[in-house]
Amino acid sequence: MLKLVSRRLLALVPLLFIVSVLTFSFTSLLPSDPVDLIIGDTGTQEQYEVVRERLGLNQPVILRYVQWLGRAAQGDLGTSFFNSVSVADAVMQRLPVTLSLTLVSALIAVAVGVAAGIAAALRPRSWVDRLATVGATIGQAIPNFWFGLLLVAVFAVNMRWFPATGFTPISASPWDWLRSVTLPAIALGLSSSAAIARQVRSAMVGVLQQDYIRAARAQGLSSRRVILKHALTNAMVPVVAVLSVQITVLRGGSLIVEQVFAINGLGTLAITAVRQQDIPMIQGLVLVMVGLVVLVQLATDIVYGFLNPKARPS
């Protein structure tokens, strides 16, 4: 297992390098000049040149990239063009908000998806199976933002069970934190739970027909032990790959759901940076988001190695 983790970590180095090159290149090719947005139409040519020199935009692109990469390797992602705020500090301030939303929505997606998939697999072609299939189809078809607005209208405005907007840090109040992330997490985890349910159902149907499952039942083992210990463990092997993709989808979907619930996470920061064409902020956000995806993939490889010994290097 240590060899597997070592290989994956080594493979991340060229990947992050390529991402850094593409990120810096694409942001440098933006059609508008951020200096025009900072100075406006009333600035003089001298002011224009001074601001370009202060931001380092008068240097060659390759030199700017090398300097930026060296600072990024040390944890310095630069400074915002518009408010002189450290990009790393701004990202780290918003990161716990997005992570909280993503993790809670992932737990909801796994719990609902695995339960629905098992129920459908135990009674194939029954009304339970058809209901789970229809529910999964509807869940994948409903947009996250629309479902979020529906949840706000019902549970926040009419019933007043949850707050309609805002986010409470878990350090301030665990209960208020849970209430603040419940509705956006449900809106975000619905489509992912549908995809997981489909995969669990398909994998469980195949596993339950294997000979070792029949042998376990012939030995007198309880149905719960056969399903949870033997069938589900083997059925989760292909599900883990789907789960890693869904967690990445959840992280991306959280950027939109944050706007619906007025949560100041990475999504709000990213949209503001794009509107202002704040190049250092965009570059830092892309690197952090790619890093999160890489960590999810690494965790997936580790879990997959535990569940499937054949995937471990010899």
Side-chain angles (χ1 to χ4, degrees), residues 193-299:
S193 66
I196 294 174
R198 284 178 174 272
Q199 185 64 38
V200 171
R201 191 261 181 200
S202 178
M204 283 288 293
V205 168
V207 170
L208 289 174
Q209 296 176 356
Q210 298 298 319
D211 293 336
Y212 68 90
I213 296 295
R214 298 189 184 96
R217 287 174 172 171
Q219 292 176 359
L221 297 180
S222 62
S223 298
R224 177 180 298 181
R225 185 175 181 181
V226 170
I227 293 171
L228 298 181
K229 184 177 180 180
H230 299 280
L232 184 60
T233 302
N234 291 278
M236 287 300 292
V237 173
V239 175
V240 170
V242 177
L243 180 59
S244 66
V245 175
Q246 292 304 316
I247 292 178
T248 304
V249 172
L250 289 174
R251 185 197 53 77
S254 64
L255 305 182
I256 305 300
V257 174
E258 287 176 7
Q259 303 302 306
V260 177
F261 291 89
I263 297 176
N264 291 324
L266 292 181
T268 305
L269 189 63
I271 291 177
T272 303
V274 171
R275 287 175 177 174
Q276 296 178 342
Q277 295 191 15
D278 193 347
I279 294 177
M281 191 68 70
I282 296 174
Q283 293 171 343
L285 284 168
V286 171
L287 281 184
V288 171
M289 292 179 182
V290 171
L292 293 176
V293 173
V294 167
L295 290 177
V296 170
Q297 295 298 326
L298 178 60

Side-chain angles (χ1 to χ4, degrees), residues 55-79:
L55 299 178
L57 298 177
N58 59 336
Q59 299 177 353
V61 176
I62 297 179
L63 179 59
R64 283 159 43 199
Y65 168 73
V66 173
Q67 294 175 347
W68 172 76
L69 183 61
R71 292 193 300 266
Q74 300 174 6
D76 182 8
L77 299 178
T79 305

Side-chain angles (χ1 to χ4, degrees), residues 7-305:
R7 289 184 178 180
R8 294 297 187 269
L9 290 176
L10 290 176
L12 297 181
V13 177
L15 173 62
L16 293 177
F17 174 73
I18 294 174
V19 169
S20 67
V21 172
L22 294 177
T23 301
F24 194 89
S25 302
F26 289 154
T27 52
S28 299
L29 294 175
L30 290 175
S32 61
D33 194 337
V35 179
D36 294 333
L37 300 176
I38 297 174
I39 296 180
D41 299 331
T42 59
T44 62
Q45 184 65 26
E46 291 76 10
Q47 292 175 332
Y48 186 87
E49 296 298 332
V50 169
V51 174
R52 284 188 62 85
E53 183 177 358
R54 179 172 62 85
L55 299 178
L57 298 177
N58 59 336
Q59 299 177 353
V61 176
I62 297 179
L63 179 59
R64 283 159 43 199
Y65 168 73
V66 173
Q67 294 175 347
W68 172 76
L69 183 61
R71 292 193 300 266
Q74 300 174 6
D76 182 8
L77 299 178
T79 305
S80 172
F81 281 167
F82 294 90
N83 51 21
S84 299
V85 173
S86 172
V87 174
D89 293 340
V91 171
M92 293 307 297
Q93 183 180 5
R94 307 288 186 94
L95 184 60
V97 180
T98 301
L99 287 181
S100 297
L101 179 57
T102 303
L103 291 177
V104 176
S105 60
L107 291 176
I108 293 175
V110 171
V112 175
V114 171
I118 293 176
L122 293 178
R123 299 173 179 84
R125 296 185 181 86
S126 66
W127 67 270
V128 177
D129 186 15
R130 292 188 177 90
L131 181 62
T133 302
V134 172
T137 303
I138 296 176
Q140 289 184 298
I142 295 179
N144 292 330
F145 65 90
W146 182 85
F147 190 54
L149 293 173
L150 185 63
L151 292 175
V152 169
V154 175
F155 296 102
V157 177
N158 293 335
M159 298 184 177
R160 300 183 183 274
W161 290 356
F162 301 96
T165 59
F167 175 83
T168 302
I170 191 172
S171 58
S173 174
W175 174 247
D176 291 337
W177 167 81
L178 182 61
R179 294 180 68 246
S180 65
V181 300
T182 298
L183 292 185
I186 293 175
L188 192 58
L190 176 67
S191 59
S192 294
S193 66
I196 294 174
R198 284 178 174 272
Q199 185 64 38
V200 171
R201 191 261 181 200
S202 178
M204 283 288 293
V205 168
V207 170
L208 289 174
Q209 296 176 356
Q210 298 298 319
D211 293 336
Y212 68 90
I213 296 295
R214 298 189 184 96
R217 287 174 172 171
Q219 292 176 359
L221 297 180
S222 62
S223 298
R224 177 180 298 181
R225 185 175 181 181
V226 170
I227 293 171
L228 298 181
K229 184 177 180 180
H230 299 280
L232 184 60
T233 302
N234 291 278
M236 287 300 292
V237 173
V239 175
V240 170
V242 177
L243 180 59
S244 66
V245 175
Q246 292 304 316
I247 292 178
T248 304
V249 172
L250 289 174
R251 185 197 53 77
S254 64
L255 305 182
I256 305 300
V257 174
E258 287 176 7
Q259 303 302 306
V260 177
F261 291 89
I263 297 176
N264 291 324
L266 292 181
T268 305
L269 189 63
I271 291 177
T272 303
V274 171
R275 287 175 177 174
Q276 296 178 342
Q277 295 191 15
D278 193 347
I279 294 177
M281 191 68 70
I282 296 174
Q283 293 171 343
L285 284 168
V286 171
L287 281 184
V288 171
M289 292 179 182
V290 171
L292 293 176
V293 173
V294 167
L295 290 177
V296 170
Q297 295 298 326
L298 178 60
T300 301
D301 291 337
I302 295 175
V303 174
Y304 192 84

